[in-house]
DNA sequence: CGCCCGCAGTGATGCCCATCACAGCGCAAA
DNA sequence: TTTGCGCTGTGATGGGCATCACTGCGGGCG
């Protein structure tokens, strides 16, 4: 395994396993398997009963989505290198509620529940990180519910764009990835046509800009205000 | 402390601390303080920075709610004896995102973060229960997002009622508590007036019944189908 | 007792937004 | 090149539901 060092470097960033001691990490890696996904390929399927593994993202990006009873796609989140997905079903032994698929060539580490439990036993302190990660997921979802219930289209789309900003640089104007308008709609909870209309509007008002299929935020502060308060003052 | 035995009995039911050994439980109880709440009294305030405690409910019921940017109330959940609330902020050290207040006379146990951490260190296995509880919260919230985005009023209200059914008996027709129509609206994400309209409709169609301010489910299966699939077939 | 306030019912109004429909457009495969 | 497909822009339409406005009701409190 020649990119072992690289794996470790990635793991250092991750929330799940940050606190593992080196030999525990060795053990975990030995029990896990690396999988390379092509664009569009899924690693977890909604409804699957055998949810006995979690997925650690080594590189690339995945989208976590579900198909509602009416057939509409709902994108819950995008996750990229260093994140863990699929731990919910692994923890509570219920069927998968969401589908995880790669939005670009992506490699992941499939961690079986047994390996996770072994790591938890060997180093209980590492579970604090897991709990923190879960707590922030709950927090994030609370915000989504609030936004869905009280805001109109524009603030919701603004919030979706803010969530796509690279968390690494707090003043950046570049997005982590550039989904299609359909996906943006499924992420923000609005119809695709209205994504188009809002983007046109924002572009001519100088809030965003589009250079060859990529979106760039011009007035980040405006979008953040909109995302937080739901209206321009 | 004469109702000590009773406390223990409650704790046994709880998800948070089920796995604690007796002497660890003693320790946790010694570090915690019991608080009795009157109807309407709050124990956790949205926005509060000092989120260094969680709340274990000994008896009674609380509602977990937040006030959105537009001033509308959003009820995230109702919790009753044996549940734990407020652990999110305790785990991730962020401000409180929700308010917790009693809907009836309620006694709770305030567990400081330090006591929680001590219990975690003393008995790491107990953390598995905490993680499972958090996982099911995430799962529940995913369902709420799905429901908000794809269903119309009636299925959303149906889902709210189903969530208020007593989880203890799986075929029961009685609700755990009987909120006002305003609160039902805030729970289901619809306007109070429409709760009224839907209830009238359902009552004359024999789906629910109202005897002196209390609501009783008549056709539970109908509501469950509506809640799951969004339309009657 | 009478007052007031919170809760419930119900119609009218309007607007936000999903949906339908269709037209360009770039790109990849045939 | 031609065909087809996925993505994008834009108008028209209609319905669902929030909101407003008002009435009635009961119960707690002065």
């Amino acid at each position: 395994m020649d990119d072992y060092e690289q794996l470790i470097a990635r793991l250092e960033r991750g929330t799940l396993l940050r606190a593992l001691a080196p030999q525990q990490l060795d053990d975990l890696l030995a029990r896990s398997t690396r999988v390379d996904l092509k664009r569009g390929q899924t690693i977890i399927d909604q409804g699957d009963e055998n949810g006995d593994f979690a997925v650690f993202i080594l590189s690339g990006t995945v989208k976590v989505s579900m198909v509602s009873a009416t057939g509409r796609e709902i994108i819950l989140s995008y996750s990229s290198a260093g994140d863990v997905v699929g731990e919910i079903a692994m923890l509570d032994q219920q069927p998968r509620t969401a589908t995880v698929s790669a939005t670009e060539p992506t490699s992941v580490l499939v961690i079986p529940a047994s390996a996770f439990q072994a790591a938890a036993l060997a180093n209980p302190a590492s579970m604090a990180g897991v709990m923190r990660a879960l707590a922030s997921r709950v927090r994030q979802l609370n915000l989504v519910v609030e936004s869905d219930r009280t805001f109109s289209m524009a603030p919701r789309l603004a919030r979706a764009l803010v969530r796509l900003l690279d968390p690494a640089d707090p003043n950046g104007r570049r997005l982590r990835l550039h989904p299609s308008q359909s996906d943006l709609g499924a992420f923000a909870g609005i119809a695709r046509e209205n994504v188009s209309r809002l983007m046109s509007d924002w572009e001519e008002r100088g809030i965003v800009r589009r250079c060859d299929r990529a979106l760039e935020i011009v007035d980040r502060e405006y979008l953040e205000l909109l995302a937080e308060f739901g209206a321009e003052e």
Side-chain angles (χ1 to χ4, degrees), chain A:
Chain A
M1 194 185 291
D2 50 0
D3 38 18
Y4 182 74
E5 294 300 328
Q6 186 196 351
L7 291 188
I8 303 253
R10 304 280 188 184
L11 286 171
E12 295 298 331
R13 278 190 52 209
T15 51
L16 174 60
L17 306 165
R18 197 184 300 157
L20 287 183
Q23 81 272 22
Q24 290 151 10
L25 194 54
D26 280 354
D27 191 41
L28 189 98
L29 291 175
R31 289 159 174 263
S32 305
T33 60
R34 177 172 170 168
V35 175
D36 292 313
L37 302 172
K38 287 196 277 277
R39 172 189 164 88
Q41 197 175 349
T42 76
I43 181 76
I44 290 175
D45 282 300
Q46 181 175 4
D48 211 333
E49 303 276 350
N50 295 342
D52 52 356
F53 63 91
V55 171
F56 181 84
I57 304 173
L58 295 168
S59 69
T61 308
V62 300
K63 83 173 173 189
V64 182
S65 60
M66 52 199 297
V67 175
S68 79
T70 61
R72 213 213 310 272
E73 181 185 29
I74 295 173
I75 296 178
L76 293 168
S77 62
Y78 289 95
S79 299
S80 46
D83 294 329
V84 174
V85 297
E87 76 278 37
I88 304 298
M90 186 194 72
L91 287 170
D92 69 3
Q93 310 285 4
Q94 298 279 103
R96 302 284 185 185
T97 49
T99 294
V100 176
S101 60
T103 64
E104 57 186 338
T106 295
S107 25
V108 301
L109 203 59
V110 173
I111 304 175
S114 60
F116 179 86
Q117 280 152 11
L121 277 182
N123 189 346
S126 67
M127 293 302 104
V130 177
M131 290 191 293
R132 262 197 302 280
L134 285 169
S136 73
R137 289 270 284 277
V138 173
R139 192 179 284 276
Q140 177 71 251
L141 280 167
N142 282 345
L143 288 179
V144 171
V145 171
E146 183 211 2
S147 147
D148 279 8
R149 292 209 178 159
T150 62
F151 288 161
S152 55
M153 291 194 310
R156 293 225 299 275
L157 185 56
R159 192 169 283 204
L161 290 182
V162 169
R163 285 181 70 189
L164 285 177
L165 286 166
D166 191 344
D169 73 314
N171 288 313
R173 278 108 209 283
R174 318 228 50 172
L175 299 185
R176 270 156 50 205
L177 65 167
H178 301 278
S180 69
Q181 291 186 351
S182 306
D183 279 5
L184 271 180
F187 193 39
I190 66 183
R192 189 227 97 216
E193 293 89 329
N194 293 322
V195 175
S196 178
R197 284 184 255 263
L198 280 170
M199 292 304 244
S200 304
D201 183 38
W202 285 350
E203 185 166 28
E204 74 184 21
R205 287 166 61 194
I207 294 158
V208 302
R209 200 172 38 172
R210 270 171 294 185
C211 14
D212 61 26
R213 313 247 142 243
L215 196 67
E216 190 180 352
I217 308 300
V218 178
D219 192 345
R220 171 170 176 156
E221 194 181 0
Y222 176 85
L223 287 182
E224 282 173 340
L225 281 175
L226 197 55
E228 186 163 8
F229 300 111
E232 43 247 286
E233 25 260 57

